[in-house]
């Protein structure tokens, strides 16, 4: 999708010195409020983060009637159902007072990169700390640090009224998706909307459907990354021998190429970050004020 404005969104990443990040939420007439501080490890093995408890979704709360209507319209999880929820989220984000959209090309849809690792889902509920660490590549970090989705507020208790209502929707098969936003500086999607839906699906022993918002990848980068699968396809086709299985093998190769090219085309572009006003001293002062006592290891 193409977005023409604003130049600077209300929900945005800001950075100081490259490794210090802060997600701020700015609404008309109320100024910018930090909702998440983060500091990348000098070793490039992960990121320390601290939530401030001041996040609010840019989307209006979902009503159960809408969830059931969409499920009647199309099979939950199917292409039509996903498309309708993506259109719903796009319209809401375009109209939001403090959303992440700014001018440029964007993508909103299911993850096709294979980002979400099955065994990491079970870490989200027990390791949902307001101050924590996300590992990027393991390196002996605690298992709980291996999480593929970062909530921007604490997940509600599994017996909370709203979570219980969503758990019922999950059992009925009509639970709406979680809407996430890929933030490249964190190397993880953050939950834009659907914290209670996420908790509900996990409480039921299931997995939420997730639609990920991201900047569209640069066309030149897509073309460059497409060269390898195209070359591999051409080499495979050239090596196929004549015979009764040639057509089937050629069809399999074509499907593999199509999947690889789809994944490249749908890959996320880098998230834009604006300079944090005042640089490092201002970032340090804001972190001390909003998350007092937080001391991320600068070299860990």
């Amino acid at each position: 999708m193409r977005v023409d404005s604003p130049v600077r969104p209300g929900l945005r990443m800001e950075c100081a010195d490259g490794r210090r990040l802060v997600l701020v939420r700015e609404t008309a007439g109320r100024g910018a409020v930090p909702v998440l501080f983060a500091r990348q490890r000098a070793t490039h093995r992960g990121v320390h983060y601290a939530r401030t408890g001041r996040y609010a979704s840019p989307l209006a709360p979902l009503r159960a009637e809408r969830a059931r209507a969409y499920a009647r319209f199309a099979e939950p999880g199917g292409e039509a159902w996903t498309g309708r929820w993506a259109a719903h989220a796009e319209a809401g984000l375009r109209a939001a007072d403090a959303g992440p959209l700014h001018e440029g090309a964007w993508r909103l849809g299911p993850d096709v990169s294979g980002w979400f690792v099955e065994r990491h889902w079970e870490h989200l509920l027990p390791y949902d700390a307001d101050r924590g660490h996300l590992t990027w590549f393991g390196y002996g970090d605690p298992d709980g640090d291996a999480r593929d989705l970062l909530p921007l507020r604490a997940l509600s208790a599994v017996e909370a009224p709203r979570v219980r209502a969503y758990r019922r929707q999950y059992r009925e098969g009509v639970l709406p998706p979680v809407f996430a936003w890929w933030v490249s500086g964190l190397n993880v999607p953050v939950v834009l909307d659907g914290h209670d839906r996420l908790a509900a699906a996990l409480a039921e022993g299931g997995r939420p459907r997730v639609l990920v918002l991201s900047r569209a990848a640069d066309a030149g980068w897509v073309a460059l990354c497409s060269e390898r699968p195209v070359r591999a396809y051409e080499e495979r086709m050239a090596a196929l021998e004549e015979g009764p299985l040639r057509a089937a093998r050629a069809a399999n190769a074509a499907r593999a190429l199509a999947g690889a090219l789809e994944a490249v085309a749908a890959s996320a572009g880098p998230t834009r970050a604006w300079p944090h006003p005042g640089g490092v001293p201002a970032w340090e002062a804001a972190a001390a004020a909003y998350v007092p006592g937080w001391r991320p290891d600068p070299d860990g």
Side-chain angles (χ1 to χ4, degrees):
M1 60 178 171
R2 181 73 193 180
V3 176
D4 296 324
S5 64
V7 174
R8 190 175 71 166
L11 186 66
R12 62 183 179 273
M13 293 299 302
E14 294 182 351
C15 64
D17 87 344
R19 290 199 300 119
R20 292 174 174 85
L21 305 170
V22 58
L23 177 63
V24 300
R25 182 176 184 270
E26 183 176 17
T27 56
R30 300 187 64 180
V33 176
V35 298
L36 178 82
F37 288 91
R39 186 167 184 178
Q40 297 173 355
R41 292 169 63 177
T43 55
H44 305 292
R45 294 179 177 179
V47 61
H48 299 275
Y49 71 88
R51 299 186 301 225
T52 68
R54 290 166 171 80
Y55 180 70
S57 170
L59 299 179
L62 292 177
R63 300 182 64 86
E65 292 81 359
R66 182 183 295 273
R68 293 188 173 90
Y70 282 14
R72 289 193 297 269
F73 165 79
E75 179 68 23
E79 184 176 349
W81 181 89
T82 299
R84 177 156 288 200
W85 277 118
H88 166 85
E90 178 183 344
L93 291 173
R94 286 182 181 275
D97 184 33
L101 295 181
H102 58 83
E103 60 181 5
W106 293 78
R107 178 187 178 274
L108 175 59
D111 169 59
V112 297
S113 66
W115 171 259
F116 296 106
V117 178
E118 173 62 26
R119 67 179 181 276
H120 293 170
W121 284 109
E122 63 187 32
H123 298 162
L124 279 172
L125 282 178
Y127 297 102
D128 182 42
D130 279 336
R131 303 181 184 191
H133 170 265
L134 296 176
T135 183
W136 288 346
F137 307 109
Y139 292 103
D141 293 320
D143 287 344
D145 289 359
R147 284 167 285 156
D148 302 329
L149 192 63
L150 178 62
L152 291 177
R153 67 164 176 80
L155 297 178
S156 301
V158 297
E159 293 301 326
R162 284 184 60 83
V163 176
R164 290 176 63 183
Y166 282 132
R167 291 177 68 172
R168 184 164 55 250
Q169 290 184 23
Y170 180 86
R171 292 192 296 269
E172 295 173 3
V174 301
L175 184 68
V178 171
F179 301 113
W181 171 29
W182 170 258
V183 179
S184 58
L186 302 174
N187 198 40
V188 71
V190 299
V191 178
L192 273 180
D193 181 81
H195 289 78
D196 289 341
R197 299 194 295 279
L198 171 62
L202 296 176
E204 289 295 314
R207 305 291 180 256
R209 296 183 176 97
V210 182
L211 300 187
V212 182
L213 174 75
S214 67
R215 294 287 304 277
D218 176 76
W221 186 89
V222 170
L224 179 64
C225 292
S226 298
E227 291 178 359
R228 177 179 291 183
V230 169
R231 185 165 57 250
Y233 169 77
E234 292 173 343
E235 292 173 353
R236 186 174 179 184
M237 291 299 296
L240 284 180
E241 298 179 356
E242 294 295 337
L245 297 179
R246 189 181 193 283
R249 289 171 177 167
N252 287 336
R255 283 191 292 268
L257 174 63
L261 294 180
E262 179 185 8
V264 170
S267 57
T271 307
R272 182 173 179 180
W274 280 257
H276 185 62
V280 172
W283 186 95
E284 297 281 1
Y290 282 93
V291 286
W294 181 54
R295 294 290 185 270
D297 182 356
D299 300 316

